[in-house]
Amino acid sequence: MTQAHLTLSAIVITRNEANNLHDCLQSMHELVDEIIVVDSQSTDNTVAIAQQHGAKVAQPADWPGFGPQKNRALDLATCDWVFSIDADERVTPELAAEIKHLLQLGDANVAYKVPRLSSYCGKFIRHAGWQPDYVLRLFKRGTARFSDDLVHERVVTAQPVHALKNHLLHYSYLNFSQVLSKVDAYSTASAKQAYARGKRSSVAGALGHGAWAFF
């Protein structure tokens, strides 16, 4: 009896990602059966690029934070499996082949983390805790959700998580001005999230944390 083909949805959330999105979606061209893009009111060509790749695009009027926004994308997925990817990430041919093989086998595992290799200002970083950077991105639909964190969201599942071998590429910071912009945006969101949870800090605590991170 022939094994049924398991289908795969890719989910992406975006805002003004015209410089990234084509390469991201192109890297999954022969891998996924469906692309879901939830866009946060982009003012560039992000939506047009998504539509050129055949993506199903939703544009909610509000921004609830990264975790809730990714859950919106997840709720729109219809395939057997889901692969979550950010616009500044790329699936390597080796990773695509590994995922294809896994879906063809139809094994009993339902959640996989992927080793991510990140580029910082044009150079892939292979030390200082940047590699291997395992991220849970592939899971059977219905077995996982994203946390409700405003930033630094994660996939939450009660199922055992297994590891894939091949890398997901992450073009995190193309230049130093982008570093400053992202740090500002993420630190503000993180501070709001921590305050909402009742966490407080001090100048001494901030300096100590920074010194330890630098060390």
Side-chain angles (χ1 to χ4, degrees), residues 45-61:
N45 291 327
T46 295
V47 171
I49 293 169
Q51 291 171 338
Q52 288 168 7
H53 284 270
K56 300 176 183 177
V57 181
Q59 284 189 292

Side-chain angles (χ1 to χ4, degrees), residues 35-84:
I35 299 171
I36 304 294
V37 173
V38 175
D39 181 72
S40 184
Q41 302 299 314
S42 289
T43 56
D44 61 7
N45 291 327
T46 295
V47 171
I49 293 169
Q51 291 171 338
Q52 288 168 7
H53 284 270
K56 300 176 183 177
V57 181
Q59 284 189 292
D62 64 325
W63 168 250
F66 284 92
Q69 189 82 329
K70 288 190 175 182
N71 276 328
R72 285 173 169 173
L74 178 57
D75 289 339
L76 295 173
T78 62
C79 292
D80 302 308
W81 283 71
V82 175
F83 185 74
S84 173

Side-chain angles (χ1 to χ4, degrees), residues 28-198:
M28 301 183 293
H29 179 65
E30 297 183 357
L31 173 63
V32 301
D33 302 279
E34 173 184 67
I35 299 171
I36 304 294
V37 173
V38 175
D39 181 72
S40 184
Q41 302 299 314
S42 289
T43 56
D44 61 7
N45 291 327
T46 295
V47 171
I49 293 169
Q51 291 171 338
Q52 288 168 7
H53 284 270
K56 300 176 183 177
V57 181
Q59 284 189 292
D62 64 325
W63 168 250
F66 284 92
Q69 189 82 329
K70 288 190 175 182
N71 276 328
R72 285 173 169 173
L74 178 57
D75 289 339
L76 295 173
T78 62
C79 292
D80 302 308
W81 283 71
V82 175
F83 185 74
S84 173
I85 188 169
D86 293 338
D88 60 359
E89 295 173 337
R90 314 285 181 264
V91 175
T92 61
E94 295 81 8
L95 177 59
E98 185 177 9
I99 294 173
K100 274 185 178 181
H101 182 65
L102 182 154
L103 295 179
Q104 288 169 356
L105 288 178
D107 66 39
N109 300 326
V110 299
Y112 288 87
K113 58 184 180 180
V114 183
R116 184 171 59 172
L117 180 60
S118 294
S119 172
Y120 182 90
C121 296
K123 183 177 181 179
F124 285 108
I125 307 299
R126 303 177 184 274
H127 50 77
W130 282 50
Q131 189 197 27
D133 173 27
Y134 279 98
V135 285
L136 202 174
R137 294 300 183 82
L138 179 67
F139 52 91
K140 188 175 182 181
R141 187 166 61 90
T143 66
R145 299 285 291 174
F146 291 90
S147 64
D148 287 330
D149 298 309
L150 300 180
V151 67
H152 303 309
E153 75 292 342
R154 66 196 188 283
V155 177
V156 179
T157 179
Q159 304 299 318
V161 177
H162 301 265
L164 297 180
K165 296 179 179 179
N166 292 287
H167 284 99
L168 177 70
L169 301 182
H170 181 208
Y171 293 90
S172 55
Y173 302 104
L174 300 180
N175 51 58
F176 193 65
S177 64
Q178 197 177 66
V179 173
L180 295 178
S181 177
K182 283 192 176 183
V183 166
D184 180 50
Y186 276 61
S187 62
T188 300
S190 294
K192 289 180 179 178
Q193 182 171 281
Y195 189 86
R197 292 175 177 174

